[in-house]
Structure formats: structure tokens, C-alpha cells
Amino acid sequence: MLMKRRPDIPSSEITDERIYVDRRKFLATGSLLGVAAATGALPGCLKASPSEGEADDKLTPYKDVTTYNNYYEFGTGKEDPAENAGSFRTSPWSVTVEGLVKRPAVYNLEDILRPVTQQERIYRLRCVEGWSMVIPWMGFPLSAFISRVEPTSQAKFVEFTTLHDPRRMPGQRRPVLDWPYTEGLRLDEAMHPLTILATGLYGRALPNQNGAPLRLVVPWKYGFKSIKGIVKIRFTDRQPATAWNKAAPSEYGFYSNVNPEVDHPRWSQSKERRIGEFLRRRTLMFNGYGDQVARMYAGMDLRRNY
Amino acid sequence: MFTAALLPLAFLVWEGFTDDLGANPIEEVELRTGRWALRFIAITLAVTPLRRLTGWNEVIKYRRMLGLFAFFYATLHLIAFIGLDMFFDVGDIVEDIVKHPYITIGMATWLLLLPLAITSTKGWVRRLGGKRWNRLHQLIYVAAITGTIHYLWAVKKDTFLPLVYLGIIGALLAWRLWAWLARRRARAPRPPAAIS
């Protein structure tokens, strides 16, 4: 098979060796899709050449990224956030830092952003519902901010909270979730270099429906972990309660790492539909970021810690 | 009325061609065909109450067609699942039906509607006899409930809309129960008669 190197792959587009190997394995199993793609029966649907696997992760169009959103604060329909969040004001904005930390304070957004350098990160986003996107975020490592506020040695977890303001967030007028939305990470997950606070996408300011002005992005976990519209960051020694876990404990765990082996109780997680594609693709362990993150979970039973 | 019942499909096809079905068109097709199947089940179930309450007897002429449209949209829904969503991946389809209750009950709903669609012709009414045919077609009551539960279980968290459907279908079935009890009470002095 002819393998051509594509010269212009952004360094931030992370598609590691393991995925290539997985793709080969996938083809070797002779599954329907693999055979069809290898014989060229499905042009454009699935590239057979592993080197083109990287091109497979092409960016999801801006329009889809900004009109197909789960942001229940602005409605539960996929297009509701884009329709309802237009007039949401994100300035002024501040983030309260509290708990087991040496510099607890209310930080203005400008103050948070001043010392950091914005970088582009192209990440896959896998929703627990079985769809995925590839999004070019603008943001900075969460670790930069955490180091600045200096958690104490007792701090083991970080809890994030979304703004709670039913007048500005119409979705909060119905008790769909226990508002405000909260999420959490273990401190080592929060400090991981892949974990970012995002302030933009496609080189532009973050649209309101995508979580402006400040959201978390944790690419190896299901999308709902990447909390939007953050107003509070709390450091704690206990695993914090999280919104979806409270809503349905048997369906959404604290870790919620992307894991094709562990099904959601109501649907399979082994495959996903990349937005814009027809055929479903296989879901990758840790959303394809296993090389960077798997060691954090060494020795853990991921079936129990779903 | 026949043309009106085809409008939802026409819209779907039109928006499909103009790329107006949003970022996840397959999901949108599944959602819309499923909802229309449930709506047509509810409309079909409304025929008899409407007739009894208003005395508008001609409406019964449309019942078969409405019921067949429920089956038509349910079939499109099933085809969208098998052909678009799963792309005929038999292993995955079987696994989904066996392992995931909301799909199991959805599949069961379609299977409940199938014999009703097959025996919807005049010939089948004759062959089965009115009484047996009526009895068989009471399966739509079961299908109405399982179909709505399918919708309820498929939803992640916001169950508002499925509960509205459940309420409407529940009311239509409750009316039948009430009418049946009233009929039975009217015949109370005599020993209980067969239910039709």
C-alpha cells in the first residue's frame, strides 16, 4: 500500500501510533466496513491507508460545532443553545477560587487571561450520546491557572461550577438538572497538559452556545465533563458531586473516560458517529489519547470507575 | 387527507436535499419519523372517541388509512435505524435489540403493528370475522403504550415531550376503559358478557 506523508499536519493534531495500529487491526478483522473501504467500495467514507488516518480527523465545520450543542442551561434541544444564547452577556465575568488553596479570591476573567499564552489545540470531542466532532480550540492549560492559585497539599480534587442565573439562562427555569451544573476532576487530571480552559474556537472568541467565556476541555472524557460557563473553581479533598452523576448515578460516573468497552446502560459506546460522516466509526479507548493519559488510571477497574 | 399525511415525509425529503436537517441528519430523520408514528397512533386512537362524542360517523372511514400511516412512519423509522444509523451492520443491530431495552421495546412495537397492517384489508376482516378481527386489532392499545415507553427510555434526561405523548395516549386509552366500564355497568343485572 502506498503511504504518503502529509506535510501539513498541525503538531497539535494528536493522532498517535496506537491509532494507526488499531486501524490496521480493524482492517485485518475483515469487517464489513473495513473490506468495503479497502476495496474502494465506499469512496470518501473511510480511508484505508493508515497514513491518511490523520486526514480522517478533519475539522468539523464551524457551523456544526456552533449549532449542535448540549448546553441545557439554554434548552435541551441540540439547536436550542445557538438559538437562545445569542444575547447572553459574558462581560463582566469573574471566577471564584475557593477551598484548599493558598490564594482564594474572585478573579476577573481579564486577570485570569493576562499571564497566559493562548494556544490552538485540535481535539476530538466524544459525546456520551454517541456522536463526535473535531474542534480547533483556543485556550491554555488549566495547570497554568492552578499553579498560580496554589492548591494546598490536602487538595485532591477540583470542582467546577457553571453560572446559575435563570433570568439569563432560560433552560434553568425548568428542573431538568439540579442547577447549577457542577463537574469535577481529580487534581492530577486537572493538571494534565491535555486539559485546557478554552476561550475560543476556530481562532475566534468562544460562541456563547459553546460555553463562553470560559469552559473546560478534557478530550479523553465524554463531553459532559467539559463544563461550560465556569464561575467557580473549588479545591477539595473529597470527590465532588457532579451534575450528571447526581441525575443518573448508574449512567454517568465521576470519571466518564471515553471507553468503548463499557457501555452506557441504555446504549452501546463501542462506536460513534463523527458529525458530517455517514458511517459510524469505532470509538477509541480514552478517545485516542491513551498514550498520554492511560497511566493515570493504572490499576483501576475502569468498569467500576466508569 | 392522504396527501396531508404524506406532508411530514415530503418536508423531511425536501430538507434532506437542501441540507436543512442540522448537524446530525440521521438522528433527525429517526426522531421525526418516530414522532410521526406515535402521532398517527394517537390520531388513530382518537377516531372512536371523536365519533362517539360528536356523532360524526363518517370519520370511521379514515381510521384504516390513519392506522396504516402510523405503520408507514414506524417502518420508515425502523428503516432509518437499520439502513442509515447502523448501515445494515447485522451484529450491531441484533446486539442493540437484545441488550438495550429501549430498542427491544421499539422493535416489539413495530412487530405489534405488523399484523395489524397485514390484516387491514376487507378480505382479512372477512376471513377472521368481525369479532376476532376487532380482538386482534386491540393490539394497537399495547403498541401505543410500548411505543411511547420506547420514546421515554430513549431520551437522556428531559422527559417532558415523551410524557406529553404518554399523557395523550393515556387519556385516549382511559376513555376506552371508562366507556367499557360504563357499558358493563349498564348490563350489570345480567351475567358478564364478552368484551368487544
Side-chain angles (χ1 to χ4, degrees):
Chain A
M1 198 178 293
L2 181 71
M3 297 219 242
K4 262 195 290 184
R5 270 262 149 232
R6 292 171 62 89
D8 53 351
I9 303 152
S11 60
S12 46
E13 183 160 337
I14 295 144
T15 306
D16 54 48
E17 187 79 22
R18 216 175 53 76
I19 301 167
Y20 305 164
V21 175
D22 271 357
R23 279 178 190 282
R24 286 176 198 276
K25 223 176 1 187
F26 179 39
L27 292 171
T29 60
S31 76
L32 177 65
L33 296 188
V35 170
T39 55
L42 298 163
C45 286
L46 187 82
K47 305 281 167 41
S49 153
S51 68
E52 277 174 277
E54 287 175 341
D56 245 10
D57 269 345
K58 59 177 187 289
L59 299 183
T60 304
Y62 180 83
K63 185 174 175 246
D64 291 342
V65 173
T66 55
T67 56
Y68 191 79
N69 306 101
N70 276 328
Y71 196 0
Y72 282 14
E73 281 77 353
F74 292 102
T76 56
K78 290 285 185 293
E79 297 179 3
D80 290 349
E83 275 166 32
N84 299 333
S87 58
F88 180 67
R89 286 200 44 187
T90 57
S91 169
W93 193 274
S94 58
V95 178
T96 305
V97 175
E98 59 181 44
L100 305 171
V101 66
K102 289 188 191 136
R103 301 174 193 280
V106 177
Y107 291 82
N108 287 326
L109 184 63
E110 298 73 30
D111 184 27
I112 293 172
L113 300 183
R114 200 173 302 120
V116 299
T117 316
Q118 298 277 338
Q119 10 176 309
E120 182 170 74
R121 296 280 183 98
I122 299 174
Y123 284 157
R124 289 176 287 272
L125 176 115
R126 168 63 156 81
C127 177
V128 73
E129 295 165 351
W131 52 267
S132 62
M133 293 182 178
V134 181
I135 303 174
W137 300 105
M138 296 298 296
F140 58 94
L142 173 61
S143 62
F145 183 62
I146 292 182
S147 308
R148 187 178 156 198
V149 300
E150 292 185 64
T152 67
S153 58
Q154 288 105 53
K156 296 283 176 288
F157 294 92
V158 192
E159 179 194 69
F160 305 85
T161 308
T162 298
L163 176 70
H164 186 209
D165 187 349
R167 277 172 312 150
R168 292 159 69 197
M169 296 181 141
Q172 291 176 335
R173 291 170 205 163
R174 285 202 298 135
V176 184
L177 290 168
D178 183 11
W179 312 114
Y181 196 98
T182 56
E183 255 309 334
L185 293 174
R186 233 167 44 190
L187 191 57
D188 59 333
E189 297 175 323
M191 292 297 289
H192 194 279
L194 284 178
T195 304
I196 60 166
L197 286 172
T199 57
L201 54 83
Y202 268 100
R204 312 184 204 182
L206 198 61
N208 290 341
Q209 61 268 33
N210 293 86
L214 192 69
R215 68 167 290 169
L216 186 69
V217 180
V218 195
W220 71 93
K221 291 176 180 283
Y222 292 119
F224 68 87
K225 294 293 291 182
S226 294
I227 185 170
K228 305 182 179 83
I230 298 168
V231 293
K232 192 160 86 180
I233 300 179
R234 189 170 71 90
F235 293 82
T236 159
D237 54 357
R238 251 169 267 167
Q239 182 174 303
T242 60
W244 278 102
N245 182 248
K246 278 194 281 179
S250 64
E251 302 186 11
Y252 312 100
F254 174 78
Y255 285 94
S256 287
N257 292 318
V258 174
N259 188 341
E261 321 264 280
V262 178
D263 281 352
H264 181 280
R266 286 189 281 153
W267 54 79
S268 165
Q269 292 293 28
S270 64
K271 291 185 184 164
E272 67 198 52
R273 170 158 291 111
R274 180 68 51 86
I275 294 303
E277 291 182 354
F278 176 62
L279 292 176
R280 294 174 309 146
R281 12 166 113 216
R282 279 184 353 133
T283 288
L284 304 172
M285 188 66 202
F286 295 115
N287 204 21
Y289 299 99
D291 274 1
Q292 290 100 314
V293 303
R295 69 179 70 88
M296 288 194 290
Y297 310 100
M300 266 175 78
D301 181 353
L302 296 179
R303 206 162 274 280
R304 278 188 54 215
N305 296 287
Y306 54 91
Chain B
M1 192 174 294
F2 186 83
T3 321
L6 280 172
L7 280 179
L9 176 63
F11 278 122
L12 198 60
V13 172
W14 172 256
E15 287 177 278
F17 276 112
T18 56
D19 197 18
D20 254 352
L21 292 175
N24 196 345
I26 294 175
E27 178 189 64
E28 186 68 15
V29 168
E30 287 176 326
L31 253 174
R32 287 210 213 169
T33 50
R35 279 187 195 145
W36 277 107
L38 284 178
R39 285 172 196 157
F40 273 103
I41 288 178
I43 295 169
T44 309
L45 285 176
V47 167
T48 298
L50 185 70
R51 186 177 160 212
R52 292 276 156 74
L53 297 174
T54 65
W56 179 31
N57 280 322
E58 295 91 276
V59 71
I60 196 75
K61 283 194 302 195
Y62 299 107
R63 190 173 65 175
R64 169 165 57 192
M65 192 181 74
L66 291 167
L68 282 171
F69 267 111
F71 179 72
F72 174 68
Y73 281 103
T75 305
L76 290 180
H77 181 66
L78 179 65
I79 290 172
F81 168 66
I82 291 174
L84 297 178
D85 199 348
M86 311 301 279
F87 197 59
F88 309 102
D89 186 330
V90 178
D92 278 5
I93 292 167
V94 170
E95 189 186 309
D96 247 356
I97 293 172
V98 174
K99 270 177 74 176
H100 302 120
Y102 89 90
I103 296 181
T104 316
I105 202 167
M107 195 62 234
T109 305
W110 186 82
L111 289 172
L112 285 167
L113 293 173
L114 180 64
L116 309 194
I118 293 171
T119 61
S120 63
T121 60
K122 283 206 180 82
W124 269 104
V125 181
R126 224 175 14 244
R127 234 168 295 169
L128 288 169
K131 205 168 198 167
R132 271 199 301 178
W133 187 91
N134 267 326
R135 193 101 216 206
L136 174 69
H137 280 247
Q138 282 175 349
L139 278 179
I140 194 174
Y141 304 155
V142 184
I145 294 168
T146 57
T148 320
I149 293 175
H150 164 64
Y151 185 22
L152 188 69
W153 285 352
V155 164
K156 200 163 80 170
K157 187 66 179 58
D158 186 5
T159 49
F160 177 74
L161 217 47
L163 289 177
V164 168
Y165 280 70
L166 197 62
I168 291 169
I169 279 170
L172 291 164
L173 295 180
W175 179 86
R176 284 173 167 77
L177 184 68
W178 172 81
W180 175 73
L181 288 172
R183 271 202 309 278
R184 212 168 70 139
R185 216 171 302 125
R187 291 191 220 122
R190 280 169 279 166
I195 313 139
S196 71

